[in-house]
Amino acid sequence: MAKSENQKQKILVLLDLFKSKTDEEHGVTTSDIIDYLAEHGIKAERKTVYADLNTLKEYGYEISKEKKDGNYYYTLLDRDFQLPELKLLVDAVQASKFISAKKSSELIKKIENLASVYQAKQLQRQVFVSNRIKTNYENVYYNVDELNLAINENRKIKFDYYEWNLSKEMVLRKNGHKNDISPWSLAWDDENYYLVAFDGNSGIIKHYRVDKMRKIEILDEARDGREEFEEFDAAKYAKKVFGMFTGDEQRVKIQFANKLIGVVIDRFGQDIMIIPKGVDQFVVNVNVKVSNMFLGWIIGLGDGAKILEPESVVDEVKQITERLKEQYK
């Protein structure tokens, strides 16, 4: 039998077939293999197919052979990731606020390539039922890479730090040009990525939202703050600094001072409707998990935030403030 020009690629094409077209519930017959190879310009016959299967097995690939309806079906059993593991990876990507919707889609497509075409459909369905707030800033993905590089190379950084305005635009924060910053750790909490760093100007540990950082530049200077971070516990720091809310979900109407627009967008996302009230306040209607943590967050904003509806939640705030009043008599 004359060899085709693509004969050298045969074993690779065969492996691609097993990875994309077989899984625990789907196999391929010898005829399927011969047809697939033909589609790729490779001639084959049963004898050589069996030899190629043995080559893959000898190399370490676990390929099963099962008789069904008078035919033998071959399946690749060993994969780098099982379907439940891929679902976890997809959900983690989709849940990450710091990864934009576009980048999430790109990453999920790559994850799908680790599964068969049949399993990939299950991963796609998992994505479609998700509806989470995502950043619109494409470069967050690269910010993380740049910050990791600075940490690994023991270098200081400088960057611009942004915040939201009432038009839901990101603008340079007052005193937003950050210099003499020594990055030490990245923390992921409440679906956001944070840089934990030593601020050389103030001499204390601070944290910054990675999605609000722009124009990150790695400097030639070595980092400061080694003594402060020698016994640094990232988990304890996150627990102390970042709060998460749990409880029964309710529709709540809240009034905020304009100066808190960034806080509100960070918490509830850009899709919320902002209703101006007077010259220095606005109102939002949001679905929130009403708990002591959430109510404490509202109270912590002082006179900048006030729950208007429903009355039951307003009463809960009143009860908490009364208890606090008694506690701190």
Side-chain angles (χ1 to χ4, degrees), residues 97 133 164 189-192 194 209 212 242-245 254 256 260-270 272 286-288 294 297-298 301:
K97 287 171 64 176
I133 298 169
W164 294 105
D189 190 274
D190 196 18
E191 301 181 2
N192 288 308
Y194 296 86
R209 277 269 297 271
K212 294 184 177 181
F242 310 123
M244 299 184 68
F245 306 147
I254 315 172
F256 292 96
L260 295 176
I261 182 61
V263 175
V264 173
I265 291 178
D266 283 345
R267 175 54 56 186
F268 302 116
Q270 291 177 253
I272 57 170
V286 291
N287 293 323
V288 299
F294 167 72
W297 177 69
I298 290 290
L301 295 175

Side-chain angles (χ1 to χ4, degrees), residues 86-102:
L86 294 177
K87 287 182 176 180
L88 286 174
L89 292 176
V90 167
D91 196 55
V93 169
Q94 193 67 13
S96 302
K97 287 171 64 176
F98 75 92
I99 305 178
S100 68
K102 179 182 177 182

Side-chain angles (χ1 to χ4, degrees), residues 83-95 108 111-112 119-132:
L83 182 58
E85 296 172 328
L86 294 177
K87 287 182 176 180
L88 286 174
L89 292 176
V90 167
D91 196 55
V93 169
Q94 193 67 13
I108 290 169
I111 294 174
E112 288 175 6
Q119 293 175 331
K121 292 179 180 178
Q122 298 184 47
L123 297 177
Q124 292 165 4
R125 284 197 294 272
Q126 181 166 321
V127 175
F128 295 151
V129 299
S130 300
N131 183 23
R132 298 180 171 98

Side-chain angles (χ1 to χ4, degrees), residues 2-34:
K3 291 186 177 181
S4 62
E5 294 181 358
N6 297 328
Q7 202 65 217
K8 292 181 180 180
Q9 303 172 9
K10 184 180 179 184
I11 200 72
L12 296 175
V13 174
L14 183 60
L15 183 58
D16 181 64
L17 166 64
F18 275 105
K19 288 184 175 181
S20 63
K21 302 290 186 182
T22 74
D23 53 42
E24 293 179 353
E25 298 180 359
H26 302 88
V28 291
T29 64
T30 306
S31 296
D32 293 332
I33 294 173
I34 293 173

Side-chain angles (χ1 to χ4, degrees), residues 272-302:
I272 57 170
M273 180 178 290
I274 296 172
I275 306 169
K277 185 176 181 180
V279 295
D280 56 1
Q281 294 179 324
F282 63 93
V283 173
V284 297
N285 292 279
V286 291
N287 293 323
V288 299
K289 293 182 179 296
V290 178
S291 66
N292 286 337
M293 287 290 289
F294 167 72
L295 298 177
W297 177 69
I298 290 290
I299 294 171
L301 295 175

